[in-house]
Amino acid sequence: KYYVNRSDDGGLTYGPAIVAAIGGNKTGNIDVDQRDGTVYFFHQGPSPDDNQVRVAIGQPVSLAVPPAVYTVSVAATGRNPIAALFPVCKVASDGTLYVAYSDGGDAIFVSHSRDHGRTWGTPLRVSDLGHGSVSLMPWMETGERPGSLALVWYGTSPADNELGLSGNNDSSDWRVFYAHVVDATSSQPTAL
């Protein structure tokens, strides 16, 4: 079970823990829509749905109180189990919710929702390191311009490997990669 509790005094004390979701073992971060207090917590689905990125959504009745109930929605379904922890979420200043995740290490994808996580756009692949590469542990920030995202992740490819091997192994040399998306909410988004 995943629990969320809130502090209103800078972490000195916390209110009661509320069950936000059940199942899965790969957790992401929590983000809060500063406009209305909606809390978003991302995590991997439980087996056999470990290829799903799920979001627990808590909508409070007002900014003065924490959410009392969370609902769970599927944000994305990958071809592979969601890899290496940390699907990451961010709420933009316009309320658009974004998630970035690794699809089994094959690539980093990002998707968005404009309706508090109820429905999601088609995932956009933002990494392309080639055959035999691995891309893990994404992080992102939103920009002030709607649809603007900056993403970073760790990656390795056979060309970066001391022995020319593919995948994640002891001879892998890891690098940090970056992508800038300027139109993530359009029907044809582009990663630069």
Side-chain angles (χ1 to χ4, degrees):
K1 294 181 181 177
Y2 298 114
Y3 294 89
V4 175
N5 54 350
R6 173 173 139 171
S7 173
D8 290 316
D9 58 11
L12 223 48
T13 61
Y14 285 86
I18 304 294
V19 174
I22 298 173
N25 67 354
K26 307 264 195 290
T27 62
N29 66 319
I30 294 175
D31 204 10
V32 178
D33 188 334
Q34 298 300 310
R35 301 167 317 137
D36 63 8
T38 301
V39 177
Y40 300 101
F41 165 65
F42 281 79
H43 61 284
Q44 175 191 37
S47 211
D49 296 324
D50 57 357
N51 65 332
Q52 292 180 339
V53 178
R54 295 183 178 185
V55 56
I57 306 158
Q59 292 183 292
V61 294
S62 77
L63 288 171
V65 297
V69 175
Y70 284 79
T71 59
V72 176
S73 173
V74 175
T77 301
R79 295 176 310 212
N80 306 296
I82 302 308
L85 308 177
F86 315 128
V88 62
C89 68
K90 292 289 177 174
V91 181
S93 58
D94 68 354
T96 303
L97 177 61
Y98 296 93
V99 63
Y101 61 95
S102 174
D103 187 354
D106 286 348
I108 303 298
F109 289 85
V110 65
S111 187
H112 74 279
S113 173
R114 292 184 179 181
D115 60 4
H116 291 285
R118 287 185 280 284
T119 61
W120 290 86
T122 302
L124 167 68
R125 182 180 181 148
V126 296
S127 68
D128 190 7
L129 303 183
H131 178 71
S133 67
V134 179
S135 297
L136 303 171
M137 299 174 68
W139 192 257
M140 78 178 140
E141 287 297 334
T142 60
E144 284 302 313
R145 183 174 157 196
S148 177
L149 298 174
L151 294 107
V152 294
W153 67 93
Y154 291 110
T156 187
S157 70
D160 297 327
N161 189 294
E162 295 169 9
L163 302 176
L165 302 173
S166 64
N168 181 8
N169 55 64
D170 288 343
S171 61
S172 295
D173 291 327
W174 291 88
R175 298 175 188 256
V176 175
F177 291 87
Y178 169 82
H180 181 207
V181 181
V182 293
D183 54 358
T185 58
S186 76
S187 61
Q188 297 289 319
T190 306
L192 307 172

